[in-house]
Short mmCIF file of all heavy atoms in Angstrom, two decimals:
data_model
loop_
_atom_site.label_atom_id
_atom_site.label_comp_id
_atom_site.label_asym_id
_atom_site.label_seq_id
_atom_site.Cartn_x
_atom_site.Cartn_y
_atom_site.Cartn_z
N GLN A 357 24.28 13.13 -6.84
CA GLN A 357 24.61 12.44 -5.58
C GLN A 357 26.03 12.77 -5.18
O GLN A 357 26.97 13.03 -6.05
CB GLN A 357 24.54 10.92 -5.75
CG GLN A 357 23.12 10.40 -5.79
CD GLN A 357 23.07 8.92 -5.67
OE1 GLN A 357 23.90 8.22 -6.11
NE2 GLN A 357 21.99 8.39 -5.10
N GLN A 361 28.27 8.45 -2.12
CA GLN A 361 27.06 7.74 -2.34
C GLN A 361 27.03 7.24 -3.77
O GLN A 361 26.62 6.10 -4.05
CB GLN A 361 25.87 8.60 -2.04
CG GLN A 361 24.53 7.90 -2.04
CD GLN A 361 23.45 8.63 -1.36
OE1 GLN A 361 23.09 9.74 -1.86
NE2 GLN A 361 22.88 8.13 -0.30
N TYR A 396 26.22 12.76 6.58
CA TYR A 396 25.37 13.28 5.50
C TYR A 396 23.91 13.37 5.91
O TYR A 396 23.25 14.40 5.62
CB TYR A 396 25.46 12.32 4.29
CG TYR A 396 24.65 12.72 3.11
CD1 TYR A 396 24.92 13.81 2.36
CD2 TYR A 396 23.56 11.88 2.69
CE1 TYR A 396 24.16 14.19 1.25
CE2 TYR A 396 22.81 12.27 1.63
CZ TYR A 396 23.08 13.40 0.85
OH TYR A 396 22.31 13.77 -0.22
N GLU A 397 23.39 12.37 6.63
CA GLU A 397 22.01 12.40 7.05
C GLU A 397 21.82 13.50 8.08
O GLU A 397 20.71 14.14 8.12
CB GLU A 397 21.60 11.04 7.57
CG GLU A 397 21.54 9.97 6.57
CD GLU A 397 20.48 10.10 5.61
OE1 GLU A 397 20.72 10.85 4.50
OE2 GLU A 397 19.33 9.63 5.76
N ARG A 400 21.53 16.66 6.19
CA ARG A 400 20.23 16.77 5.53
C ARG A 400 19.11 17.20 6.42
O ARG A 400 18.03 17.57 6.03
CB ARG A 400 19.86 15.41 4.88
CG ARG A 400 20.51 15.15 3.54
CD ARG A 400 19.71 14.22 2.70
NE ARG A 400 19.18 12.98 3.34
CZ ARG A 400 18.02 12.51 3.10
NH1 ARG A 400 17.06 13.14 2.37
NH2 ARG A 400 17.63 11.41 3.74
N TYR A 698 11.90 1.69 -8.76
CA TYR A 698 10.89 2.80 -8.86
C TYR A 698 10.99 3.74 -7.73
O TYR A 698 10.83 4.99 -7.99
CB TYR A 698 9.48 2.07 -8.90
CG TYR A 698 9.31 1.19 -10.12
CD1 TYR A 698 9.63 -0.18 -10.04
CD2 TYR A 698 8.96 1.67 -11.37
CE1 TYR A 698 9.47 -1.00 -11.17
CE2 TYR A 698 8.79 0.87 -12.51
CZ TYR A 698 9.05 -0.41 -12.40
OH TYR A 698 8.97 -1.23 -13.47
N ALA A 699 11.24 3.25 -6.59
CA ALA A 699 11.48 4.13 -5.40
C ALA A 699 12.70 4.95 -5.66
O ALA A 699 12.77 6.17 -5.43
CB ALA A 699 11.64 3.35 -4.12
N ASP A 700 13.72 4.34 -6.17
CA ASP A 700 15.05 5.01 -6.51
C ASP A 700 14.75 6.17 -7.44
O ASP A 700 15.22 7.25 -7.29
CB ASP A 700 15.94 3.93 -7.14
CG ASP A 700 17.34 4.47 -7.45
OD1 ASP A 700 17.57 5.65 -7.23
OD2 ASP A 700 18.15 3.64 -7.83
N ARG A 701 14.01 5.90 -8.62
CA ARG A 701 13.75 6.96 -9.56
C ARG A 701 12.97 8.09 -8.90
O ARG A 701 13.39 9.30 -9.11
CB ARG A 701 12.96 6.26 -10.70
CG ARG A 701 12.50 7.33 -11.73
CD ARG A 701 13.64 7.94 -12.54
NE ARG A 701 13.14 8.97 -13.44
CZ ARG A 701 12.57 8.71 -14.61
NH1 ARG A 701 12.53 7.50 -15.11
NH2 ARG A 701 12.15 9.74 -15.34
N ILE A 702 12.03 7.79 -8.13
CA ILE A 702 11.20 8.89 -7.60
C ILE A 702 11.97 9.66 -6.56
O ILE A 702 11.94 10.89 -6.52
CB ILE A 702 9.89 8.24 -6.96
CG1 ILE A 702 8.97 7.84 -8.02
CG2 ILE A 702 9.22 9.26 -5.99
CD1 ILE A 702 7.78 7.02 -7.58
N ARG A 703 12.81 8.95 -5.75
CA ARG A 703 13.59 9.71 -4.74
C ARG A 703 14.60 10.62 -5.37
O ARG A 703 14.79 11.73 -5.04
CB ARG A 703 14.36 8.73 -3.79
CG ARG A 703 15.08 9.46 -2.77
CD ARG A 703 15.84 8.55 -1.85
NE ARG A 703 16.43 9.23 -0.67
CZ ARG A 703 17.59 9.86 -0.78
NH1 ARG A 703 18.27 9.83 -1.89
NH2 ARG A 703 18.09 10.51 0.31
N ASN A 704 15.27 10.16 -6.44
CA ASN A 704 16.30 10.95 -7.03
C ASN A 704 15.73 11.97 -8.03
O ASN A 704 16.46 12.88 -8.48
CB ASN A 704 17.34 10.00 -7.69
CG ASN A 704 18.27 9.42 -6.68
OD1 ASN A 704 19.12 10.01 -6.17
ND2 ASN A 704 18.02 8.11 -6.42
N ASP A 705 14.48 11.83 -8.44
CA ASP A 705 13.88 12.81 -9.30
C ASP A 705 13.20 13.96 -8.52
O ASP A 705 13.37 15.11 -8.78
CB ASP A 705 12.84 12.19 -10.23
CG ASP A 705 13.38 11.93 -11.63
OD1 ASP A 705 14.65 11.82 -11.74
OD2 ASP A 705 12.66 11.85 -12.59
N ILE A 706 12.39 13.50 -7.50
CA ILE A 706 11.58 14.54 -6.83
C ILE A 706 11.72 14.47 -5.31
O ILE A 706 11.37 15.45 -4.62
CB ILE A 706 10.10 14.45 -7.16
CG1 ILE A 706 9.47 13.08 -6.72
CG2 ILE A 706 9.91 14.53 -8.69
CD1 ILE A 706 8.57 13.25 -5.58
N GLY A 707 12.24 13.40 -4.74
CA GLY A 707 12.33 13.29 -3.28
C GLY A 707 13.10 14.36 -2.60
O GLY A 707 12.65 15.05 -1.71
N THR A 708 14.34 14.49 -3.10
CA THR A 708 15.24 15.49 -2.48
C THR A 708 14.77 16.89 -2.83
O THR A 708 14.91 17.84 -2.04
CB THR A 708 16.69 15.26 -2.88
OG1 THR A 708 16.73 15.20 -4.29
CG2 THR A 708 17.24 13.96 -2.37
N VAL A 714 10.85 9.04 0.81
CA VAL A 714 10.47 7.94 -0.11
C VAL A 714 10.69 6.60 0.60
O VAL A 714 11.70 6.37 1.16
CB VAL A 714 11.28 7.98 -1.43
CG1 VAL A 714 11.08 6.78 -2.27
CG2 VAL A 714 10.92 9.22 -2.22
N GLY A 733 21.09 5.52 -1.50
CA GLY A 733 20.22 6.61 -1.73
C GLY A 733 19.04 6.34 -2.53
O GLY A 733 18.41 7.17 -3.20
N ARG A 734 18.58 4.97 -2.51
CA ARG A 734 17.41 4.54 -3.31
C ARG A 734 16.11 4.83 -2.52
O ARG A 734 15.05 4.75 -3.12
CB ARG A 734 17.58 3.12 -3.64
CG ARG A 734 18.81 2.83 -4.55
CD ARG A 734 19.05 1.34 -4.83
NE ARG A 734 20.36 1.30 -5.56
CZ ARG A 734 21.34 0.50 -5.32
NH1 ARG A 734 21.24 -0.42 -4.33
NH2 ARG A 734 22.51 0.53 -6.04
N ALA A 735 16.27 5.03 -1.32
CA ALA A 735 15.04 5.28 -0.43
C ALA A 735 15.48 5.84 0.90
O ALA A 735 16.68 5.74 1.27
CB ALA A 735 14.20 4.05 -0.23
N ASP A 736 14.54 6.43 1.62
CA ASP A 736 14.83 6.97 2.98
C ASP A 736 14.40 5.97 4.05
O ASP A 736 15.02 5.91 5.12
CB ASP A 736 14.10 8.30 3.18
CG ASP A 736 14.45 9.33 2.16
OD1 ASP A 736 15.61 9.79 2.20
OD2 ASP A 736 13.63 9.66 1.28
#
Side-chain angles (χ1 to χ4, degrees):
Q357 285 190 328
Q361 190 163 63
Y396 178 69
E397 293 292 90
R400 280 209 308 141
Y698 297 93
D700 186 353
R701 173 67 185 278
I702 288 169
R703 184 181 186 275
N704 284 286
D705 260 26
I706 65 110
T708 52
V714 172
R734 296 173 188 136
D736 301 290

